[in-house]
Amino acid sequence: DPSRASTRRVRTRFATASCVGVVTTVSEEQDWRSLEPASLLVNLVPDLWRTLRAGWPLLLAVLVGGGVANFVNLALLLLFLGSAVARTVLHFLTLRYRMNAGKLEIRSGLVARRFRVIDPARIQNVEIVQNVFHKLAGLVELRVETAGEAGAEGLLSALSIAEANRLRDQLHHSVAIPAAPPPGDELLTITPAELVGYGMSEGRIGAVVLAGGLAIEALGQFSPESVAQGMKGVSPGAALGLGLLGLALGYAVSVGRTLLRWYGFRMTRSARGLRFEGGLLTRRSVEMRLSKVQLVTLDEPLLRRAMGYGTLLAETAASGAPGEEAQPEGLLPMVAEDERFDVARIILPDLDIDPWSAALRPSAPKAVLRGAVVGGLRWGAGALILSRWIGPLAFFLVLFGAVLGWLDARRQAWQMTPSHVVARGGFFRRRTWIVPRDKIQSVHLLSDPFLRRYGLARVGVWVAGGRVVLPAMREEEADAVFEALREPARLRVA
């Protein structure tokens, strides 16, 4: 029984955390250190790959093109690759770091010099990454993420494993943190079969789009007459088969990316909070303090929800490493329905409501009517365009949009407790947001002419990691919620 197996994997051992922290600030000034010599090659290969991936149209033009234009494309490609080499060499020669008075200092640059001082109290997460090239060289990459800027403010690649662990321990020991349970407690693991389900429910077809773009670019090198002649010989059945093959390719690529990114995933308890580890070729280990969690979201797309799973995201104010797709720091790809509250309480120990079993407050009745009207209007624009080809049948889209809007508004709900704010929304892709009230940065009372027409308003709460807007409610109720949520913020400012 998969549900029983998943329940056994989650061990919810809650312990009362002490309010007393231990501070072991390092006050002595240490010597400046440089990166390992092998980091020059370890950093160069991924940088070249990113450059080629960004300039794939130039690479394709060089491979299939000809004439004078081909030399121009080749020169541009070599220029980009040369700049990547120069950037990597300059980074290795100029980057220096040290721990001074309990803070991490990093300096880099030759012409445009940069000097950064990272206070451990501002650190949101510390991540250790080891890709294939790191493994071959016996090195790792250390990422120190703060709320100060978009990306990893302290990025050191590549260090020895011992040096990375030493820096991480010094950063964590330089700030007072609550006493935590002993480290090593494995809280959640995800099986390969569950990861396959995650990849299938992700349904990314970006690989198909990319393949289509490459095919169009390649076909453009041939004459239009030869392309048209070749397309005449393709029967409708063959075209359908090619479409299904492309769709299967998209799902296969999605599953493959999921296994590469999350294979062997586990969440464990560390001495400073939680640790998330996973990855097949590139192994990532993210350590996150529970006190830094700003927002927890459970994402349940229709297919994943039918499997009995959802994806839990624990976000801090950090933004991820530069040059990479922004993603939440603590992402649990597959969490079973019967364990989601237990996992949420591990991340938010003072969570005083079960958002998935407790009775939440629904949207106002007029908000449901408004949802149907808005849905019909949105789909109506498409109906007007399609009516040229399919006639009056296109206007059934208006009814379809109205039904979807009505269903979506019916699923919206919210609740406010003394310590948390909960919001839920979405019909096909249901999402549940949990915001600790002590992390709220600002509260907004939102309205527009269409909302006021129905006597409605919405309340939005902004945190350092994002924002959550509650479902539409009556204006007087929205005023009361707004006043209740803004009072704690006023006390914190005072």
Side-chain angles (χ1 to χ4, degrees):
D1 187 351
S3 63
R4 292 182 179 177
S6 62
T7 305
R8 287 196 299 268
R9 290 197 318 275
V10 178
R11 303 176 179 89
T12 55
R13 300 179 185 175
F14 300 102
T16 303
S18 171
C19 296
V20 179
V22 178
V23 183
T24 57
T25 303
V26 181
S27 58
E28 69 274 7
E29 180 178 330
Q30 300 180 1
D31 294 332
W32 289 101
R33 296 171 177 260
S34 60
L35 300 177
E36 296 288 335
S39 68
L40 188 61
L41 181 61
V42 169
N43 293 333
L44 179 59
V45 176
D47 203 358
L48 290 176
W49 167 246
R50 284 193 294 268
T51 303
L52 287 175
R53 188 173 59 182
W56 67 265
L58 279 177
L59 179 61
L60 181 63
V62 170
L63 294 177
V64 301
V68 178
N70 194 37
F71 289 103
V72 175
N73 294 330
L74 180 60
L76 290 175
L77 186 62
L78 292 178
L79 177 63
F80 292 144
L81 295 177
S83 64
V85 173
R87 184 170 56 247
T88 303
V89 173
L90 185 64
H91 175 79
F92 169 74
L93 293 177
T94 62
L95 190 139
R96 297 292 184 270
Y97 69 93
R98 69 177 180 181
M99 289 294 298
N100 182 21
K103 299 179 181 180
L104 176 62
E105 298 179 351
I106 303 176
R107 68 182 188 189
S108 61
L110 182 61
V111 178
R113 296 181 179 178
R114 188 179 185 186
F115 184 79
R116 286 163 288 173
V117 179
I118 301 177
D119 189 344
R122 292 176 50 238
I123 293 176
Q124 303 291 318
N125 313 293
V126 177
E127 182 177 6
I128 292 181
V129 179
Q130 188 178 46
N131 59 31
V132 177
F133 305 105
H134 289 139
K135 291 179 182 178
L136 293 176
L139 304 175
V140 295
E141 180 178 280
L142 181 71
R143 298 174 179 177
V144 181
E145 299 179 342
T146 70
E149 62 179 49
E153 191 171 352
L155 179 61
L156 299 174
S157 178
L159 305 175
S160 66
I161 299 177
E163 176 68 6
N165 289 328
R166 182 189 70 84
L167 273 178
R168 181 171 64 178
D169 291 340
Q170 285 189 344
L171 289 171
H172 282 302
H173 291 161
S174 296
V175 65
I177 56 175
D185 185 11
E186 189 174 273
L187 302 171
L188 176 69
T189 58
I190 298 180
T191 66
E194 290 172 329
L195 291 177
V196 171
Y198 176 78
M200 294 292 293
S201 59
E202 190 74 3
R204 292 182 178 178
I205 57 174
V208 180
V209 176
L210 177 60
L214 292 173
I216 293 174
E217 182 70 22
L219 289 175
Q221 305 300 323
F222 302 96
S223 64
E225 294 79 8
S226 60
V227 174
Q229 187 66 29
M231 293 299 294
K232 287 181 179 178
V234 179
S235 64
L240 178 62
L242 289 174
L244 293 176
L245 181 62
L247 188 62
L249 175 63
Y251 279 108
V253 170
S254 179
V255 171
R257 289 181 58 181
T258 298
L259 291 174
L260 288 175
R261 177 66 180 85
W262 302 107
Y263 183 82
F265 178 87
R266 62 175 187 161
M267 179 178 70
T268 59
R269 198 186 302 278
S270 70
R272 293 161 288 269
L274 294 177
R275 183 175 296 169
F276 306 90
E277 298 178 280
L280 185 59
L281 298 180
T282 299
R283 190 75 179 175
R284 288 179 170 85
S285 175
V286 182
E287 194 162 286
M288 181 174 63
R289 298 178 192 167
L290 297 181
S291 60
K292 298 294 184 178
V293 176
Q294 307 284 323
L295 175 65
V296 172
T297 306
L298 183 73
D299 188 16
E300 298 175 285
L302 184 61
L303 182 56
R304 200 172 303 160
R305 192 163 72 240
M307 298 178 185
Y309 287 89
T311 299
L312 197 70
L313 301 88
E315 301 184 60
T316 65
S319 304
E324 292 192 352
E325 179 184 356
Q327 57 183 339
E329 298 77 27
L331 191 149
L332 285 67
M334 295 289 274
V335 178
E337 289 181 353
D338 58 347
E339 64 189 29
R340 54 195 178 188
F341 178 57
D342 293 335
V343 175
R345 282 197 62 198
I346 293 174
I347 300 173
L348 299 173
D350 59 342
L351 183 61
D352 54 354
I353 183 176
D354 185 348
W356 302 280
S357 63
L360 305 183
R361 298 186 180 184
S363 298
K366 289 185 178 180
V368 179
L369 174 62
R370 173 185 173 273
V373 174
V374 172
L377 291 176
R378 286 175 178 172
W379 285 76
L384 289 175
I385 298 174
L386 294 177
S387 61
R388 276 188 67 184
W389 293 276
I390 61 177
L393 292 177
F395 289 95
F396 279 101
L397 290 175
V398 178
L399 179 60
F400 181 71
V403 172
L404 285 184
W406 179 79
L407 290 173
D408 184 75
R410 290 256 309 179
R411 288 293 185 272
Q412 294 182 10
W414 65 279
Q415 187 59 270
M416 181 177 60
T417 70
S419 60
H420 292 83
V421 177
V422 176
R424 186 180 65 205
F427 177 71
F428 288 112
R429 185 163 196 152
R430 187 170 63 196
R431 285 188 174 95
T432 305
W433 298 271
I434 308 173
V435 181
R437 290 183 62 170
D438 60 352
K439 295 296 191 296
I440 295 177
Q441 300 290 320
S442 61
V443 185
H444 300 249
L445 186 61
L446 309 173
S447 182
D448 57 46
F450 206 38
L451 281 171
R452 291 193 294 270
R453 170 68 178 81
Y454 291 89
L456 302 173
R458 308 184 75 175
V459 177
V461 292
W462 267 245
V463 296
R467 64 176 182 175
V468 175
V469 179
L470 303 184
M473 59 189 76
R474 292 179 293 106
E475 288 182 333
E476 54 271 21
E477 188 177 18
D479 290 337
V481 173
F482 176 73
E483 291 296 331
L485 289 176
R486 67 194 289 251
E487 187 64 25
R490 185 185 305 153
L491 293 177
R492 284 201 305 274
V493 171

